mmCIF file of all heavy atoms in Angstrom:
data_model
loop_
_atom_site.group_PDB
_atom_site.id
_atom_site.type_symbol
_atom_site.label_atom_id
_atom_site.label_comp_id
_atom_site.label_asym_id
_atom_site.label_seq_id
_atom_site.Cartn_x
_atom_site.Cartn_y
_atom_site.Cartn_z
ATOM 1 N N THR A 1 0.849 -1.185 0.000
ATOM 2 C CA THR A 1 0.000 0.000 0.000
ATOM 3 C C THR A 1 0.888 1.239 0.000
ATOM 4 O O THR A 1 1.995 1.204 0.545
ATOM 5 C CB THR A 1 -0.925 0.045 1.238
ATOM 6 O OG1 THR A 1 -0.111 -0.013 2.416
ATOM 7 C CG2 THR A 1 -1.906 -1.105 1.237
ATOM 8 N N PRO A 2 0.408 2.320 -0.592
ATOM 9 C CA PRO A 2 1.202 3.550 -0.589
ATOM 10 C C PRO A 2 1.548 3.972 0.835
ATOM 11 O O PRO A 2 0.717 3.887 1.741
ATOM 12 C CB PRO A 2 0.274 4.573 -1.250
ATOM 13 C CG PRO A 2 -0.626 3.745 -2.123
ATOM 14 C CD PRO A 2 -0.826 2.467 -1.350
ATOM 15 N N GLY A 3 2.799 4.367 1.029
ATOM 16 C CA GLY A 3 3.234 4.843 2.331
ATOM 17 C C GLY A 3 3.685 3.780 3.307
ATOM 18 O O GLY A 3 4.175 4.115 4.378
ATOM 19 N N MET A 4 3.552 2.500 2.950
ATOM 20 C CA MET A 4 3.959 1.455 3.896
ATOM 21 C C MET A 4 5.479 1.304 3.966
ATOM 22 O O MET A 4 5.987 0.655 4.883
ATOM 23 C CB MET A 4 3.298 0.110 3.588
ATOM 24 C CG MET A 4 3.855 -0.648 2.407
ATOM 25 S SD MET A 4 3.015 -2.222 2.060
ATOM 26 C CE MET A 4 3.508 -3.226 3.442
ATOM 27 N N ALA A 5 6.186 1.908 3.021
ATOM 28 C CA ALA A 5 7.649 1.846 3.006
ATOM 29 C C ALA A 5 8.189 3.098 2.337
ATOM 30 O O ALA A 5 7.476 3.770 1.587
ATOM 31 C CB ALA A 5 8.123 0.602 2.265
ATOM 32 N N ASP A 6 9.447 3.382 2.607
ATOM 33 C CA ASP A 6 10.116 4.503 1.961
ATOM 34 C C ASP A 6 10.675 4.100 0.603
ATOM 35 O O ASP A 6 10.938 4.943 -0.248
ATOM 36 C CB ASP A 6 11.258 5.012 2.846
ATOM 37 C CG ASP A 6 10.756 5.441 4.217
ATOM 38 O OD1 ASP A 6 9.774 6.207 4.282
ATOM 39 O OD2 ASP A 6 11.341 4.986 5.221
ATOM 40 N N LEU A 7 10.875 2.777 0.427
ATOM 41 C CA LEU A 7 11.398 2.253 -0.833
ATOM 42 C C LEU A 7 10.840 0.853 -1.053
ATOM 43 O O LEU A 7 10.839 0.037 -0.127
ATOM 44 C CB LEU A 7 12.935 2.205 -0.801
ATOM 45 C CG LEU A 7 13.631 1.682 -2.058
ATOM 46 C CD1 LEU A 7 13.446 2.653 -3.232
ATOM 47 C CD2 LEU A 7 15.118 1.468 -1.805
ATOM 48 N N PHE A 8 10.381 0.598 -2.258
ATOM 49 C CA PHE A 8 9.900 -0.724 -2.635
ATOM 50 C C PHE A 8 10.893 -1.353 -3.597
ATOM 51 O O PHE A 8 11.440 -0.675 -4.476
ATOM 52 C CB PHE A 8 8.527 -0.641 -3.315
ATOM 53 C CG PHE A 8 7.437 -0.163 -2.400
ATOM 54 C CD1 PHE A 8 7.117 1.185 -2.305
ATOM 55 C CD2 PHE A 8 6.734 -1.059 -1.603
ATOM 56 C CE1 PHE A 8 6.124 1.640 -1.449
ATOM 57 C CE2 PHE A 8 5.738 -0.621 -0.738
ATOM 58 C CZ PHE A 8 5.435 0.733 -0.662
ATOM 59 N N VAL A 9 11.135 -2.674 -3.431
ATOM 60 C CA VAL A 9 12.036 -3.414 -4.302
ATOM 61 C C VAL A 9 11.260 -4.582 -4.887
ATOM 62 O O VAL A 9 10.607 -5.334 -4.161
ATOM 63 C CB VAL A 9 13.265 -3.952 -3.521
ATOM 64 C CG1 VAL A 9 14.192 -4.729 -4.447
ATOM 65 C CG2 VAL A 9 14.010 -2.821 -2.830
ATOM 66 N N CYS A 10 11.344 -4.727 -6.230
ATOM 67 C CA CYS A 10 10.594 -5.801 -6.897
ATOM 68 C C CYS A 10 11.291 -6.163 -8.197
ATOM 69 O O CYS A 10 12.292 -5.564 -8.570
ATOM 70 C CB CYS A 10 9.164 -5.334 -7.182
ATOM 71 S SG CYS A 10 9.072 -3.906 -8.276
ATOM 72 N N GLY A 11 10.726 -7.139 -8.888
ATOM 73 C CA GLY A 11 11.208 -7.488 -10.216
ATOM 74 C C GLY A 11 10.703 -6.462 -11.223
ATOM 75 O O GLY A 11 9.718 -5.758 -10.975
ATOM 76 N N GLU A 12 11.384 -6.385 -12.359
ATOM 77 C CA GLU A 12 11.004 -5.405 -13.380
ATOM 78 C C GLU A 12 9.547 -5.525 -13.808
ATOM 79 O O GLU A 12 8.907 -4.530 -14.131
ATOM 80 C CB GLU A 12 11.914 -5.531 -14.600
ATOM 81 C CG GLU A 12 13.309 -5.024 -14.348
ATOM 82 C CD GLU A 12 14.178 -5.045 -15.587
ATOM 83 O OE1 GLU A 12 13.967 -5.906 -16.467
ATOM 84 O OE2 GLU A 12 15.086 -4.190 -15.668
ATOM 85 N N ASP A 13 9.026 -6.746 -13.812
ATOM 86 C CA ASP A 13 7.644 -6.957 -14.257
ATOM 87 C C ASP A 13 6.614 -6.296 -13.344
ATOM 88 O O ASP A 13 5.507 -5.988 -13.772
ATOM 89 C CB ASP A 13 7.346 -8.451 -14.391
ATOM 90 C CG ASP A 13 7.570 -9.224 -13.097
ATOM 91 O OD1 ASP A 13 8.487 -8.864 -12.326
ATOM 92 O OD2 ASP A 13 6.832 -10.190 -12.854
ATOM 93 N N LEU A 14 6.981 -6.049 -12.089
ATOM 94 C CA LEU A 14 6.035 -5.461 -11.134
ATOM 95 C C LEU A 14 6.305 -3.983 -10.847
ATOM 96 O O LEU A 14 5.629 -3.382 -10.012
ATOM 97 C CB LEU A 14 6.065 -6.251 -9.822
ATOM 98 C CG LEU A 14 5.688 -7.731 -9.930
ATOM 99 C CD1 LEU A 14 5.804 -8.413 -8.579
ATOM 100 C CD2 LEU A 14 4.301 -7.907 -10.502
ATOM 101 N N LEU A 15 7.265 -3.390 -11.559
ATOM 102 C CA LEU A 15 7.618 -1.999 -11.291
ATOM 103 C C LEU A 15 6.438 -1.026 -11.416
ATOM 104 O O LEU A 15 6.305 -0.144 -10.564
ATOM 105 C CB LEU A 15 8.780 -1.550 -12.181
ATOM 106 C CG LEU A 15 9.318 -0.137 -11.893
ATOM 107 C CD1 LEU A 15 9.817 -0.018 -10.456
ATOM 108 C CD2 LEU A 15 10.412 0.231 -12.880
ATOM 109 N N PRO A 16 5.570 -1.148 -12.410
ATOM 110 C CA PRO A 16 4.448 -0.190 -12.474
ATOM 111 C C PRO A 16 3.584 -0.191 -11.204
ATOM 112 O O PRO A 16 3.176 0.874 -10.733
ATOM 113 C CB PRO A 16 3.644 -0.667 -13.687
ATOM 114 C CG PRO A 16 4.645 -1.371 -14.541
ATOM 115 C CD PRO A 16 5.589 -2.039 -13.569
ATOM 116 N N GLN A 17 3.333 -1.362 -10.630
ATOM 117 C CA GLN A 17 2.557 -1.431 -9.391
ATOM 118 C C GLN A 17 3.335 -0.818 -8.234
ATOM 119 O O GLN A 17 2.776 -0.129 -7.392
ATOM 120 C CB GLN A 17 2.174 -2.880 -9.057
ATOM 121 C CG GLN A 17 1.179 -3.490 -10.010
ATOM 122 C CD GLN A 17 1.837 -4.234 -11.161
ATOM 123 O OE1 GLN A 17 2.875 -3.854 -11.684
ATOM 124 N NE2 GLN A 17 1.221 -5.318 -11.588
ATOM 125 N N ALA A 18 4.642 -1.063 -8.197
ATOM 126 C CA ALA A 18 5.474 -0.521 -7.124
ATOM 127 C C ALA A 18 5.496 1.000 -7.179
ATOM 128 O O ALA A 18 5.410 1.669 -6.150
ATOM 129 C CB ALA A 18 6.892 -1.079 -7.227
ATOM 130 N N GLN A 19 5.606 1.551 -8.375
ATOM 131 C CA GLN A 19 5.676 3.005 -8.518
ATOM 132 C C GLN A 19 4.393 3.680 -8.056
ATOM 133 O O GLN A 19 4.426 4.815 -7.595
ATOM 134 C CB GLN A 19 6.005 3.376 -9.964
ATOM 135 C CG GLN A 19 7.438 3.023 -10.312
ATOM 136 C CD GLN A 19 7.763 3.222 -11.780
ATOM 137 O OE1 GLN A 19 6.919 3.042 -12.647
ATOM 138 N NE2 GLN A 19 9.004 3.587 -12.049
ATOM 139 N N LYS A 20 3.275 2.997 -8.142
ATOM 140 C CA LYS A 20 2.017 3.543 -7.633
ATOM 141 C C LYS A 20 2.054 3.657 -6.109
ATOM 142 O O LYS A 20 1.374 4.497 -5.520
ATOM 143 C CB LYS A 20 0.831 2.663 -8.048
ATOM 144 C CG LYS A 20 0.525 2.715 -9.525
ATOM 145 C CD LYS A 20 -0.595 1.749 -9.877
ATOM 146 C CE LYS A 20 -0.743 1.630 -11.379
ATOM 147 N NZ LYS A 20 -1.646 0.545 -11.761
ATOM 148 N N ALA A 21 2.848 2.803 -5.465
ATOM 149 C CA ALA A 21 2.922 2.783 -4.000
ATOM 150 C C ALA A 21 3.977 3.740 -3.458
ATOM 151 O O ALA A 21 3.899 4.147 -2.303
ATOM 152 C CB ALA A 21 3.197 1.366 -3.509
ATOM 153 N N GLY A 22 4.973 4.091 -4.277
ATOM 154 C CA GLY A 22 6.012 4.998 -3.801
ATOM 155 C C GLY A 22 7.328 4.808 -4.522
ATOM 156 O O GLY A 22 7.379 4.196 -5.590
ATOM 157 N N ASN A 23 8.415 5.319 -3.928
ATOM 158 C CA ASN A 23 9.746 5.187 -4.506
ATOM 159 C C ASN A 23 10.074 3.714 -4.678
ATOM 160 O O ASN A 23 9.855 2.916 -3.763
ATOM 161 C CB ASN A 23 10.799 5.849 -3.601
ATOM 162 C CG ASN A 23 10.644 7.347 -3.556
ATOM 163 O OD1 ASN A 23 10.246 7.972 -4.532
ATOM 164 N ND2 ASN A 23 10.948 7.930 -2.415
ATOM 165 N N SER A 24 10.610 3.359 -5.848
ATOM 166 C CA SER A 24 10.799 1.950 -6.174
ATOM 167 C C SER A 24 12.068 1.719 -6.975
ATOM 168 O O SER A 24 12.489 2.584 -7.735
ATOM 169 C CB SER A 24 9.625 1.452 -7.020
ATOM 170 O OG SER A 24 8.400 1.800 -6.441
ATOM 171 N N ILE A 25 12.617 0.523 -6.792
ATOM 172 C CA ILE A 25 13.684 0.048 -7.667
ATOM 173 C C ILE A 25 13.297 -1.343 -8.143
ATOM 174 O O ILE A 25 12.657 -2.100 -7.424
ATOM 175 C CB ILE A 25 15.069 0.039 -6.993
ATOM 176 C CG1 ILE A 25 15.083 -0.793 -5.706
ATOM 177 C CG2 ILE A 25 15.554 1.453 -6.712
ATOM 178 C CD1 ILE A 25 16.470 -0.946 -5.084
ATOM 179 N N ALA A 26 13.676 -1.647 -9.374
ATOM 180 C CA ALA A 26 13.340 -2.946 -9.965
ATOM 181 C C ALA A 26 14.622 -3.694 -10.306
ATOM 182 O O ALA A 26 15.609 -3.097 -10.728
ATOM 183 C CB ALA A 26 12.503 -2.749 -11.219
ATOM 184 N N LEU A 27 14.567 -4.996 -10.122
ATOM 185 C CA LEU A 27 15.709 -5.864 -10.407
ATOM 186 C C LEU A 27 15.438 -6.717 -11.637
ATOM 187 O O LEU A 27 14.337 -7.243 -11.795
ATOM 188 C CB LEU A 27 15.977 -6.778 -9.213
ATOM 189 C CG LEU A 27 16.191 -6.103 -7.860
ATOM 190 C CD1 LEU A 27 16.291 -7.156 -6.764
ATOM 191 C CD2 LEU A 27 17.433 -5.235 -7.881
ATOM 192 N N LYS A 28 16.461 -6.851 -12.496
ATOM 193 C CA LYS A 28 16.370 -7.782 -13.626
ATOM 194 C C LYS A 28 16.481 -9.210 -13.099
ATOM 195 O O LYS A 28 15.771 -10.095 -13.515
ATOM 196 C CB LYS A 28 17.504 -7.536 -14.616
ATOM 197 C CG LYS A 28 17.366 -6.321 -15.496
ATOM 198 C CD LYS A 28 18.544 -6.272 -16.456
ATOM 199 C CE LYS A 28 18.581 -5.179 -17.463
ATOM 200 N NZ LYS A 28 18.090 -3.885 -17.124
ATOM 201 N N ASN A 29 17.423 -9.412 -12.157
ATOM 202 C CA ASN A 29 17.678 -10.723 -11.565
ATOM 203 C C ASN A 29 17.360 -10.630 -10.073
ATOM 204 O O ASN A 29 18.126 -10.029 -9.319
ATOM 205 C CB ASN A 29 19.129 -11.123 -11.799
ATOM 206 C CG ASN A 29 19.473 -12.468 -11.202
ATOM 207 O OD1 ASN A 29 18.719 -13.034 -10.407
ATOM 208 N ND2 ASN A 29 20.619 -13.000 -11.581
ATOM 209 N N LEU A 30 16.267 -11.216 -9.667
ATOM 210 C CA LEU A 30 15.782 -11.070 -8.299
ATOM 211 C C LEU A 30 16.764 -11.542 -7.235
ATOM 212 O O LEU A 30 16.721 -11.081 -6.109
ATOM 213 C CB LEU A 30 14.460 -11.818 -8.117
ATOM 214 C CG LEU A 30 13.294 -11.355 -8.984
ATOM 215 C CD1 LEU A 30 12.045 -12.167 -8.663
ATOM 216 C CD2 LEU A 30 13.017 -9.883 -8.807
ATOM 217 N N ILE A 31 17.634 -12.487 -7.584
ATOM 218 C CA ILE A 31 18.535 -13.038 -6.573
ATOM 219 C C ILE A 31 19.980 -12.564 -6.729
ATOM 220 O O ILE A 31 20.883 -13.113 -6.121
ATOM 221 C CB ILE A 31 18.474 -14.581 -6.547
ATOM 222 C CG1 ILE A 31 18.855 -15.164 -7.893
ATOM 223 C CG2 ILE A 31 17.092 -15.046 -6.100
ATOM 224 C CD1 ILE A 31 19.035 -16.675 -7.883
ATOM 225 N N SER A 32 20.188 -11.513 -7.521
ATOM 226 C CA SER A 32 21.541 -10.999 -7.741
ATOM 227 C C SER A 32 21.929 -9.999 -6.653
ATOM 228 O O SER A 32 21.391 -8.889 -6.600
ATOM 229 C CB SER A 32 21.626 -10.327 -9.114
ATOM 230 O OG SER A 32 22.835 -9.604 -9.225
ATOM 231 N N LEU A 33 22.875 -10.388 -5.799
ATOM 232 C CA LEU A 33 23.361 -9.482 -4.760
ATOM 233 C C LEU A 33 24.091 -8.281 -5.369
ATOM 234 O O LEU A 33 23.862 -7.152 -4.930
ATOM 235 C CB LEU A 33 24.250 -10.240 -3.762
ATOM 236 C CG LEU A 33 24.810 -9.416 -2.596
ATOM 237 C CD1 LEU A 33 23.710 -8.735 -1.802
ATOM 238 C CD2 LEU A 33 25.667 -10.302 -1.699
ATOM 239 N N PRO A 34 24.937 -8.474 -6.394
ATOM 240 C CA PRO A 34 25.590 -7.295 -6.989
ATOM 241 C C PRO A 34 24.584 -6.286 -7.557
ATOM 242 O O PRO A 34 24.757 -5.078 -7.394
ATOM 243 C CB PRO A 34 26.470 -7.891 -8.100
ATOM 244 C CG PRO A 34 26.735 -9.294 -7.642
ATOM 245 C CD PRO A 34 25.474 -9.728 -6.934
ATOM 246 N N GLU A 35 23.541 -6.771 -8.218
ATOM 247 C CA GLU A 35 22.541 -5.855 -8.770
ATOM 248 C C GLU A 35 21.800 -5.134 -7.637
ATOM 249 O O GLU A 35 21.573 -3.921 -7.708
ATOM 250 C CB GLU A 35 21.541 -6.593 -9.666
ATOM 251 C CG GLU A 35 20.544 -5.639 -10.297
ATOM 252 C CD GLU A 35 19.495 -6.313 -11.164
ATOM 253 O OE1 GLU A 35 19.475 -7.565 -11.259
ATOM 254 O OE2 GLU A 35 18.663 -5.582 -11.729
ATOM 255 N N MET A 36 21.426 -5.858 -6.598
ATOM 256 C CA MET A 36 20.751 -5.250 -5.453
ATOM 257 C C MET A 36 21.630 -4.149 -4.856
ATOM 258 O O MET A 36 21.166 -3.043 -4.572
ATOM 259 C CB MET A 36 20.438 -6.308 -4.387
ATOM 260 C CG MET A 36 19.832 -5.753 -3.105
ATOM 261 S SD MET A 36 18.139 -5.164 -3.256
ATOM 262 C CE MET A 36 17.252 -6.735 -3.194
ATOM 263 N N THR A 37 22.912 -4.447 -4.685
ATOM 264 C CA THR A 37 23.844 -3.479 -4.100
ATOM 265 C C THR A 37 23.925 -2.220 -4.961
ATOM 266 O O THR A 37 23.860 -1.099 -4.437
ATOM 267 C CB THR A 37 25.229 -4.119 -3.917
ATOM 268 O OG1 THR A 37 25.102 -5.305 -3.116
ATOM 269 C CG2 THR A 37 26.205 -3.164 -3.248
ATOM 270 N N GLU A 38 24.050 -2.399 -6.269
ATOM 271 C CA GLU A 38 24.148 -1.246 -7.178
ATOM 272 C C GLU A 38 22.876 -0.397 -7.137
ATOM 273 O O GLU A 38 22.940 0.831 -7.097
ATOM 274 C CB GLU A 38 24.415 -1.701 -8.612
ATOM 275 C CG GLU A 38 25.865 -2.011 -8.888
ATOM 276 C CD GLU A 38 26.792 -0.848 -8.546
ATOM 277 O OE1 GLU A 38 26.584 0.280 -9.030
ATOM 278 O OE2 GLU A 38 27.749 -1.072 -7.774
ATOM 279 N N LYS A 39 21.708 -1.058 -7.158
ATOM 280 C CA LYS A 39 20.440 -0.313 -7.147
ATOM 281 C C LYS A 39 20.260 0.434 -5.819
ATOM 282 O O LYS A 39 19.777 1.560 -5.798
ATOM 283 C CB LYS A 39 19.258 -1.260 -7.394
ATOM 284 C CG LYS A 39 19.269 -1.923 -8.771
ATOM 285 C CD LYS A 39 18.780 -1.002 -9.861
ATOM 286 C CE LYS A 39 18.912 -1.575 -11.253
ATOM 287 N NZ LYS A 39 17.829 -2.387 -11.705
ATOM 288 N N LEU A 40 20.659 -0.187 -4.709
ATOM 289 C CA LEU A 40 20.544 0.485 -3.411
ATOM 290 C C LEU A 40 21.514 1.667 -3.311
ATOM 291 O O LEU A 40 21.189 2.692 -2.733
ATOM 292 C CB LEU A 40 20.774 -0.498 -2.266
ATOM 293 C CG LEU A 40 19.633 -1.482 -2.030
ATOM 294 C CD1 LEU A 40 20.017 -2.494 -0.965
ATOM 295 C CD2 LEU A 40 18.350 -0.772 -1.635
ATOM 296 N N LYS A 41 22.714 1.506 -3.903
ATOM 297 C CA LYS A 41 23.654 2.626 -3.929
ATOM 298 C C LYS A 41 22.993 3.839 -4.570
ATOM 299 O O LYS A 41 23.096 4.956 -4.070
ATOM 300 C CB LYS A 41 24.895 2.254 -4.771
ATOM 301 C CG LYS A 41 26.021 1.672 -4.021
ATOM 302 C CD LYS A 41 27.155 1.450 -5.027
ATOM 303 C CE LYS A 41 28.461 1.170 -4.381
ATOM 304 N NZ LYS A 41 29.491 0.846 -5.359
ATOM 305 N N GLY A 42 22.322 3.603 -5.685
ATOM 306 C CA GLY A 42 21.636 4.686 -6.375
ATOM 307 C C GLY A 42 20.503 5.267 -5.533
ATOM 308 O O GLY A 42 20.347 6.493 -5.452
ATOM 309 N N ALA A 43 19.723 4.403 -4.912
ATOM 310 C CA ALA A 43 18.580 4.855 -4.114
ATOM 311 C C ALA A 43 19.023 5.696 -2.925
ATOM 312 O O ALA A 43 18.339 6.636 -2.530
ATOM 313 C CB ALA A 43 17.756 3.649 -3.644
#
C-alpha cells in the first residue's frame, strides 16, 4: 500500500505497481546481490 515503506524493491515486471505505491527500484535478476547493491547505492 502507498506509504507502507520509503522504498519498494521488486522485479522489473512489477515496477508499475510498485511506482504507484512509492519510490521503487526494480531488479532484472531477483537473486543478484551485486545488482541489489548497485540499485541500493543509487537509491
Side-chain angles (χ1 to χ4, degrees):
T1 57
M4 75 181 290
D6 302 310
L7 180 68
F8 294 92
V9 180
C10 61
E12 288 185 330
D13 58 326
L14 300 178
L15 185 59
Q17 292 92 324
Q19 289 173 327
K20 290 176 190 170
N23 292 327
S24 311
I25 56 174
L27 305 174
K28 285 183 177 36
N29 180 347
L30 299 181
I31 59 171
S32 168
L33 181 56
E35 183 182 3
M36 175 71 79
T37 304
E38 279 305 306
K39 296 281 174 86
L40 287 175
K41 268 183 166 175

